[in-house]
Amino acid sequence: MTDLLLAIAHHLLVFTLAAILAAELAIIRPGLSGASLRRLGVVDLHYGLIATLILIVGFARVYMGVKGPEAYLGNWAFWAKIGAFVLVGLLSAMPTVRILQWRKLARADSGFALPEAEVKAVRPFLIAEAVVFAFIPVFAAMMARGYGL
């Protein structure tokens, strides 16, 4: 039963992270300001929280799940999945830092709105996150079918 609950939680968290990434891609646009910029900060905070929970639940599955760590730790597809997740995290650092800076600027200047150049600087990172993120379920499907051993 623990294995099932961990699997369900893990999958729901991963889908949630995908939705949050899609939301960030949709929200960040030139002219964003005020309350919308604050909402973006909340969305990005949730991105980090959900990503952390994915790691916790995922490694709980490795060590507390039915298959046990030997089914995962020697599997290259598992490590490719972890690598993709880490790369997504690294790619998310720049947008997060920018969002924090934008919120600070907006607090100091109520008329602050995202300039187009700022959006153009951040969007490639978000798009790269989405592209790399798409490989995570690919590696998970490979693992589930015995590839990578």
Coordinates of all heavy atoms in Angstrom, one line a residue, residues 15-29 32 36 39-40 43-44 47 99 123 126:
F15 N 2.8 16.0 -12.5 CA 1.8 16.6 -13.3 C 1.6 18.1 -12.8 O 1.4 19.0 -13.7 CB 0.5 15.9 -13.4 CG 0.6 14.6 -14.1 CD1 0.1 13.4 -13.5 CD2 1.2 14.5 -15.3 CE1 0.1 12.2 -14.2 CE2 1.3 13.3 -16.0 CZ 0.8 12.1 -15.4
T16 N 1.6 18.3 -11.5 CA 1.5 19.6 -11.0 C 2.6 20.5 -11.4 O 2.4 21.7 -11.8 CB 1.3 19.6 -9.5 OG1 0.2 18.8 -9.1 CG2 1.2 21.0 -8.8
L17 N 3.8 20.0 -11.3 CA 5.0 20.8 -11.7 C 4.9 21.2 -13.2 O 5.2 22.3 -13.6 CB 6.3 20.0 -11.5 CG 7.6 20.8 -11.6 CD1 7.6 21.9 -10.5 CD2 8.8 20.0 -11.5
A18 N 4.5 20.2 -14.0 CA 4.3 20.5 -15.5 C 3.3 21.7 -15.7 O 3.5 22.6 -16.5 CB 3.9 19.3 -16.2
A19 N 2.2 21.6 -14.9 CA 1.2 22.7 -15.0 C 1.7 24.0 -14.5 O 1.4 25.1 -15.2 CB 0.0 22.3 -14.2
I20 N 2.5 24.0 -13.5 CA 3.1 25.3 -13.0 C 4.1 25.8 -14.0 O 4.1 27.0 -14.3 CB 3.8 25.0 -11.6 CG1 2.8 24.8 -10.6 CG2 4.6 26.3 -11.2 CD1 3.3 24.3 -9.2
L21 N 4.9 25.0 -14.6 CA 5.8 25.5 -15.7 C 5.0 26.1 -16.9 O 5.4 27.1 -17.4 CB 6.7 24.3 -16.2 CG 7.7 24.6 -17.3 CD1 8.6 25.8 -16.9 CD2 8.5 23.4 -17.6
A22 N 3.9 25.4 -17.3 CA 3.1 25.9 -18.3 C 2.5 27.3 -17.9 O 2.4 28.2 -18.7 CB 2.0 24.9 -18.7
A23 N 2.1 27.4 -16.7 CA 1.5 28.6 -16.2 C 2.5 29.8 -16.2 O 2.2 30.9 -16.7 CB 1.0 28.5 -14.7
E24 N 3.8 29.5 -15.8 CA 4.8 30.5 -15.9 C 5.0 30.9 -17.3 O 5.2 32.1 -17.6 CB 6.1 30.0 -15.3 CG 6.1 30.0 -13.8 CD 7.4 29.8 -13.1 OE1 8.4 29.5 -13.8 OE2 7.5 30.0 -11.9
L25 N 5.1 30.0 -18.2 CA 5.2 30.3 -19.7 C 4.1 31.2 -20.1 O 4.3 32.2 -20.9 CB 5.3 29.1 -20.5 CG 6.7 28.5 -20.7 CD1 6.6 27.0 -21.2 CD2 7.5 29.3 -21.7
A26 N 2.9 31.0 -19.7 CA 1.7 31.8 -20.1 C 1.7 33.1 -19.4 O 1.3 34.1 -20.0 CB 0.4 31.0 -19.8
I27 N 2.1 33.2 -18.2 CA 2.0 34.5 -17.4 C 3.1 35.5 -17.8 O 2.8 36.7 -17.9 CB 2.1 34.2 -15.9 CG1 0.9 33.4 -15.4 CG2 2.2 35.5 -15.1 CD1 1.0 32.8 -14.0
I28 N 4.3 35.0 -18.0 CA 5.4 36.0 -18.2 C 5.3 36.6 -19.6 O 5.4 35.9 -20.6 CB 6.8 35.3 -18.0 CG1 7.0 34.9 -16.6 CG2 7.9 36.2 -18.5 CD1 8.3 34.2 -16.3
R29 N 5.0 37.9 -19.7 CA 4.9 38.6 -20.9 C 5.2 40.1 -20.7 O 5.1 40.5 -19.6 CB 3.5 38.4 -21.5 CG 2.4 38.9 -20.6 CD 1.0 38.5 -21.1 NE -0.1 39.0 -20.2 CZ -0.4 38.5 -19.0 NH1 0.3 37.5 -18.5 NH2 -1.3 39.0 -18.3
L32 N 3.7 42.9 -17.8 CA 3.2 42.3 -16.6 C 3.6 43.2 -15.4 O 4.7 43.7 -15.3 CB 3.8 40.9 -16.4 CG 3.2 40.1 -15.3 CD1 1.8 39.7 -15.6 CD2 4.1 38.9 -15.0
S36 N -0.5 40.9 -10.9 CA -0.1 39.8 -11.8 C 1.4 39.4 -11.5 O 1.7 38.2 -11.5 CB -0.3 40.2 -13.2 OG -1.6 40.4 -13.5
R39 N 1.4 37.5 -8.3 CA 0.9 36.1 -8.5 C 2.0 35.2 -9.2 O 2.2 34.1 -8.8 CB -0.3 36.1 -9.4 CG -1.6 36.3 -8.6 CD -2.8 36.0 -9.5 NE -3.0 36.9 -10.6 CZ -3.6 38.1 -10.5 NH1 -4.0 38.5 -9.4 NH2 -3.7 38.9 -11.6
L40 N 2.7 35.8 -10.1 CA 3.8 35.1 -10.7 C 4.9 34.6 -9.7 O 5.3 33.5 -9.7 CB 4.5 36.0 -11.8 CG 5.8 35.4 -12.4 CD1 5.5 34.1 -13.1 CD2 6.4 36.4 -13.3
V43 N 3.4 31.7 -7.9 CA 3.5 30.5 -8.8 C 4.9 29.9 -8.8 O 5.1 28.7 -8.6 CB 3.0 30.9 -10.2 CG1 3.4 29.8 -11.2 CG2 1.5 31.1 -10.2
D44 N 5.9 30.8 -8.8 CA 7.3 30.4 -8.9 C 7.7 29.8 -7.5 O 8.4 28.8 -7.5 CB 8.2 31.5 -9.2 CG 9.6 31.0 -9.6 OD1 9.7 30.3 -10.6 OD2 10.5 31.4 -8.9
Y47 N 6.4 26.3 -7.6 CA 7.3 25.5 -8.4 C 8.4 24.9 -7.6 O 8.7 23.7 -7.7 CB 7.9 26.4 -9.6 CG 8.7 25.7 -10.6 CD1 8.1 25.3 -11.8 CD2 10.0 25.5 -10.4 CE1 8.9 24.6 -12.7 CE2 10.8 24.8 -11.3 CZ 10.2 24.4 -12.5 OH 11.0 23.7 -13.4
I99 N 12.5 36.8 -11.4 CA 11.1 37.1 -10.8 C 11.3 37.8 -9.5 O 10.6 38.7 -9.2 CB 10.3 35.7 -10.7 CG1 9.9 35.3 -12.1 CG2 9.1 35.9 -9.8 CD1 9.4 33.8 -12.1
R123 N 12.4 33.9 -21.3 CA 11.6 32.8 -22.0 C 12.4 31.7 -22.5 O 12.0 30.5 -22.4 CB 10.8 33.5 -23.2 CG 9.5 34.2 -22.6 CD 8.6 34.6 -23.7 NE 7.7 33.5 -24.2 CZ 6.7 32.9 -23.5 NH1 6.5 33.3 -22.3 NH2 6.0 31.9 -24.1
L126 N 12.7 29.2 -19.8 CA 11.4 28.5 -19.6 C 11.2 27.4 -20.6 O 10.7 26.3 -20.4 CB 10.3 29.5 -19.5 CG 10.4 30.4 -18.3 CD1 9.3 31.5 -18.4 CD2 10.2 29.7 -17.0

